[in-house]
Amino acid sequence: MKKRVSEKILMKGNEAIAEAAIRAGVKAYFGYPITPQSELLEYMSAQLNSRGGVFLQAESEVAAINMVYGAAGCGERVMTSTSSPGFSLMQEGISYIASAELPCLLVNVQRGGPGLGTIQPAQSDYFQAVKGGGHGDYNLIVLAPNSVQEMANFTYLGFDLADQYRTPVLILADGALGQMMEPVVFPDYDIVKNKVDHSSWATRGKKDGKQHVITTLHIEPEKMEIINNHLQEKYRDICDKEIRFEATKTDDAEILLIAYGLSSRIAHHALELARDEGLKVGLFRPITLYPFPYRQIRALTKKVDSILTVEMNAGQMVEDVRLAVGEKVPVHFYGRTGGVIPQPEEILEKIRAISIAPQMEKIF
Amino acid sequence: MSKSIQSVQCEHLDKMDIVWDRPDTLIDVPMHYCPGCGHSVVHRLIMEVVQELNIQDITIGVAPVGCSVFSYNYMDVDMQEAAHGRATAVATGIKRVLPDKIIYSYQGDGDLAAIGTAETIHTINRGENIVMIFVNNGIYGMTGGQMAPTTLKGSVTSTTPTGRDLSIHGHPLNIAEMIAILPGAYYVTRQAVNSAKTVRKTKKALLRGFKNQIDGKGGVSFIEVVSNCPSGWKMTPLQSNKWLDDNMLGTYPLGDIKVPEKIA
Amino acid sequence: MAKLHGHVTINIENCKGCELCTDACPQNSLNMSKNINKKGYHYAILVEENCTGCTNCALVCPEAVMTVYRENKNRIIKPAPMASIDSKNISVSIS
Ligand SMILES: Cc1ncc(C[n+]2csc(CCOP(=O)(O)OP(=O)(O)O)c2C)c(N)n1
Ligand code: SF4
Ligand code: SF4
Ligand code: SF4
Ligand SMILES: [Mg+2]
């Protein structure tokens, strides 16, 4: 049989996530239509039921995330996907899922906000994604792909991390990555080998004589704190082991661009334009937004003169960059909002300005 | 210990049959409910049914947010505790991945008929093959006796200090009648637990509901139980059960609302 | 028809003194004790020998503390687990 591994398929990012999820053995998908992620939901509706899973269109994102809670509580691989307003609606449920330590994959194909906003790509849900998002002390593992290929790869990775840490994992994409078509190769994936056995805690009927309960209520504060301490310990473990990033031309860089997802691609283009002009520019791309590569960015401040963070929002990740950098080097920001995509030339303009006057502008 | 009223002893218990005993499926711990609270009775009846149908190993319950949030401490089956109003979405998630298991949701009136109305309607409209148990005590018991969608006209609650005024707060919501028109509702009934007679009928209704699910009948078996809340109603348990009879049942009449023809 | 003879035992420590059982008993066989249990509730006790084992009290009891017995004319002898009944249903052994 011809190996499918090397087969290149031209696909939208949204579809690549769906296809990868099915290949990763997703048992159930619950979702609600919203642009610009609907292709994911539609792909699932066409494929999942005939490929060993369950597709269900929920009546709302609120229902969808609580269906995820129920199915994940049975120890099955489950996921949902949405875009910004829908992700806001899911926050209560995600907080429950994090507290109950249920593994699942979440996808937010961001669009411009606030409010109903636009359907164009944005990165303005960064804070919501990396700082918990809902109520209580919790975090999601947040993966930020910047290509259709990575949309697929991070779907496998997301399920595996979710299983490994019993925690919800979020793929934070945007409308452009969801909609763009690129060739994608689906790697070999052994569902049986990779699936973690959750039978010791999942609710599947009281088979082993022990009652399994999924709950997030722990009336006594001392008990709740024990749960919190356990969660925090898990997050520390994740921060120790799961930081992922990509550094491009950072060795001789004087100006360091920091960008993730779609804006990292644009920043990369700007880097090339700047290098053509002889400007020594590098690019650091956080792949995990949580855990955030604070230490790795801090280490680079020994080499570079200044930093420019590029985002499709009014300045969110830049706060984490400033946290990492402190006063070591000036941190600049360039962003467009509301669904407007920054152009490489605009970034180049900013790079040029920084190369002349690298000191930091006033933040407030 | 001295006793002023002598309790009667029986010399020949060994020659008698045990005709009623606490079901083994009901965990043998004191419940946290207020004295006389109907939640306890409904829990027990569900567990009696689970025991009689021998489905303890394959049953998964979903607890709500409300006074019965801790019901997993009493009902000895695998359970998930859902967010406020989302029990049937959670139940849907479970049933869809484990279609061979027996799933029930358990909700109060605030949970099922206010914050969770959308989930209620759509779970039923999808015809999920689950049992939905709805404990209607006409009040928000857990949060201290605020108005519920099912609170009767004129009833004083902590958020209707001068009584529920229909022109301000709207009308008591007859959700069972509402959802009965949905094709996904297979069996809809309203029962009570305020007397031995009504308890017997509720048990029968629950039995029927769970049997429907076991038989794979298409649709939700919806069992409303009109119940009391002595604390929220500020009554003794006896007064509350009487008040239930005299007031609640006028707005929420007991009996089957939708019965599939074959079992009618 | 002569009424069947019955009996109830009550796990008084879990009784919450709600009085629903005394109200539900058609024979008035139950009453509330003047004593209180460890939780501070006046608990229900069987005070008359006229219990028919109808189970009404058990059905309405929110705490499920009753065990109801009924005479069986068709049966010679039942190996009832007396010991376990004694330990579980405290009222039997209280005097
Ligand atoms: C999202 C959310 N909103 C509000 C609450 C507070 N709350 C807890 S229980 C409850 C009402 C419960 O009433 P009901 O469903 O009738 O149950 P009962 O206690 O009467 O059995 C409310 C409003 C909550 N836990 N979560
Ligand atoms: S507050 Fe009402 S519903 Fe809640 S336990 Fe007490 S009596 Fe029952
Ligand atoms: S079994 Fe019937 S007669 Fe006997 S105490 Fe209970 S309610 Fe009364
Ligand atoms: S019904 Fe149960 S809890 Fe209430 S008084 Fe009787 S025995 Fe006690
Ligand atoms: Mg209520």
mmCIF file with all atom_site columns, all heavy atoms in Angstrom, chain B residues 109 137 139 141, ligand 5:
data_model
loop_
_atom_site.group_PDB
_atom_site.id
_atom_site.type_symbol
_atom_site.label_atom_id
_atom_site.label_alt_id
_atom_site.label_comp_id
_atom_site.label_asym_id
_atom_site.label_entity_id
_atom_site.label_seq_id
_atom_site.pdbx_PDB_ins_code
_atom_site.Cartn_x
_atom_site.Cartn_y
_atom_site.Cartn_z
_atom_site.occupancy
_atom_site.B_iso_or_equiv
_atom_site.pdbx_formal_charge
_atom_site.auth_seq_id
_atom_site.auth_comp_id
_atom_site.auth_asym_id
_atom_site.auth_atom_id
_atom_site.pdbx_PDB_model_num
ATOM   1  N  N   . ASP B 1 109 ? -35.547 24.060 39.242 1.00 0.00 ? 109 ASP B N   1
ATOM   2  C  CA  . ASP B 1 109 ? -36.310 24.901 38.317 1.00 0.00 ? 109 ASP B CA  1
ATOM   3  C  C   . ASP B 1 109 ? -35.490 26.094 37.819 1.00 0.00 ? 109 ASP B C   1
ATOM   4  O  O   . ASP B 1 109 ? -35.634 26.504 36.671 1.00 0.00 ? 109 ASP B O   1
ATOM   5  C  CB  . ASP B 1 109 ? -37.619 25.381 38.953 1.00 0.00 ? 109 ASP B CB  1
ATOM   6  C  CG  . ASP B 1 109 ? -37.474 25.670 40.437 1.00 0.00 ? 109 ASP B CG  1
ATOM   7  O  OD1 . ASP B 1 109 ? -36.395 26.125 40.861 1.00 0.00 ? 109 ASP B OD1 1
ATOM   8  O  OD2 . ASP B 1 109 ? -38.425 25.429 41.173 1.00 0.00 ? 109 ASP B OD2 1
ATOM   9  N  N   . ASN B 1 137 ? -39.394 23.186 42.763 1.00 0.00 ? 137 ASN B N   1
ATOM   10 C  CA  . ASN B 1 137 ? -39.829 23.630 44.091 1.00 0.00 ? 137 ASN B CA  1
ATOM   11 C  C   . ASN B 1 137 ? -40.194 25.114 44.085 1.00 0.00 ? 137 ASN B C   1
ATOM   12 O  O   . ASN B 1 137 ? -40.356 25.729 45.131 1.00 0.00 ? 137 ASN B O   1
ATOM   13 C  CB  . ASN B 1 137 ? -38.775 23.311 45.160 1.00 0.00 ? 137 ASN B CB  1
ATOM   14 C  CG  . ASN B 1 137 ? -37.426 23.928 44.837 1.00 0.00 ? 137 ASN B CG  1
ATOM   15 O  OD1 . ASN B 1 137 ? -37.310 24.745 43.926 1.00 0.00 ? 137 ASN B OD1 1
ATOM   16 N  ND2 . ASN B 1 137 ? -36.410 23.531 45.576 1.00 0.00 ? 137 ASN B ND2 1
ATOM   17 N  N   . ILE B 1 139 ? -38.675 27.803 43.556 1.00 0.00 ? 139 ILE B N   1
ATOM   18 C  CA  . ILE B 1 139 ? -37.822 28.767 44.243 1.00 0.00 ? 139 ILE B CA  1
ATOM   19 C  C   . ILE B 1 139 ? -36.349 28.425 43.982 1.00 0.00 ? 139 ILE B C   1
ATOM   20 O  O   . ILE B 1 139 ? -36.043 27.313 43.560 1.00 0.00 ? 139 ILE B O   1
ATOM   21 C  CB  . ILE B 1 139 ? -38.119 28.752 45.763 1.00 0.00 ? 139 ILE B CB  1
ATOM   22 C  CG1 . ILE B 1 139 ? -37.711 30.075 46.411 1.00 0.00 ? 139 ILE B CG1 1
ATOM   23 C  CG2 . ILE B 1 139 ? -37.449 27.557 46.438 1.00 0.00 ? 139 ILE B CG2 1
ATOM   24 C  CD1 . ILE B 1 139 ? -38.416 30.342 47.713 1.00 0.00 ? 139 ILE B CD1 1
ATOM   25 N  N   . GLY B 1 141 ? -33.630 27.450 45.850 1.00 0.00 ? 141 GLY B N   1
ATOM   26 C  CA  . GLY B 1 141 ? -33.335 26.996 47.203 1.00 0.00 ? 141 GLY B CA  1
ATOM   27 C  C   . GLY B 1 141 ? -31.915 27.325 47.611 1.00 0.00 ? 141 GLY B C   1
ATOM   28 O  O   . GLY B 1 141 ? -31.670 27.917 48.664 1.00 0.00 ? 141 GLY B O   1
HETATM 29 MG MG  . MG  D 2 .   ? -35.682 25.352 42.848 1.00 0.00 ? 5   MG  D MG  1
#
